[in-house]
Amino acid sequence: AMLLVTARELELALCGTPTLDLDEWKKHTVYKGAFANDRAEHPVTRAFWQVVERWDDERRARLLQWTTGSARLPVGGFAQLQQRDGVSRCFCLTSIPVSQATYPRAHTCFNRIDLPLYDRPANEMPRALEFVITNATAEFSMD
């Protein structure tokens, strides 16, 4: 029997799960907002990367897909990520007040994740990231 799957699940099924180089991913990440100065050492971004480090390739691919619209990287890797119109656009982590978003938000057109400024990021980030990649759908909003 054929099961109904999303386009994202179909891409992973047809193309397989890529192996994503976490060091390259970090190297080619842009940090904005409250993360601009401390970058990967900000408590929220540190919690984000700790979660991603613990994940297997399938979960990492789902995160990449949730963020960029594709579970695969271009030939040049993270350094060559592009917007939908072909303009080069690195993976980006930016801050957002918890009052504006309880969970991380992805902006696939910009390869960006808005991470809430959690009070206890080491406790809250694992649950929040798991929720968004598990419940991500092909639905889009304009916010």
Side-chain angles (χ1 to χ4, degrees), residues 53-122:
E53 285 171 3
R54 288 191 299 263
W55 280 353
D56 61 16
D57 285 334
E58 182 181 350
R59 277 197 163 75
R60 289 178 185 177
R62 286 182 182 272
L63 177 66
L64 180 67
Q65 192 171 48
W66 178 67
T67 308
T68 67
S70 175
R72 298 204 114 14
L73 291 170
V75 174
F78 284 99
Q80 300 299 317
L81 278 179
Q82 298 177 353
Q83 297 180 164
R84 300 229 182 256
D85 61 5
V87 174
S88 182
R89 174 80 63 169
C90 288
F91 177 79
C92 179
L93 295 176
T94 191
S95 61
I96 188 167
V98 173
S99 61
Q100 291 183 20
T102 306
Y103 292 97
R105 297 190 305 200
H107 300 271
T108 57
C109 291
F110 304 106
N111 301 333
R112 185 180 90 210
I113 298 176
D114 298 340
L115 293 176
L117 292 167
Y118 295 123
D119 292 329
R120 298 179 340 257

Side-chain angles (χ1 to χ4, degrees), residues 23-37:
D23 290 330
E24 183 195 6
W25 197 343
K26 289 179 185 180
K27 178 181 176 184
H28 295 288
T29 296
V30 172
Y31 298 88
K32 294 185 177 179
F35 309 144
N37 291 333

Side-chain angles (χ1 to χ4, degrees), residues 2 21 51 54 59 78 116 129 131-132 136 139 141:
M2 178 70 165
D21 183 336
V51 170
R54 288 191 299 263
R59 277 197 163 75
F78 284 99
L129 283 177
F131 178 84
V132 296
E139 298 173 18
S141 69

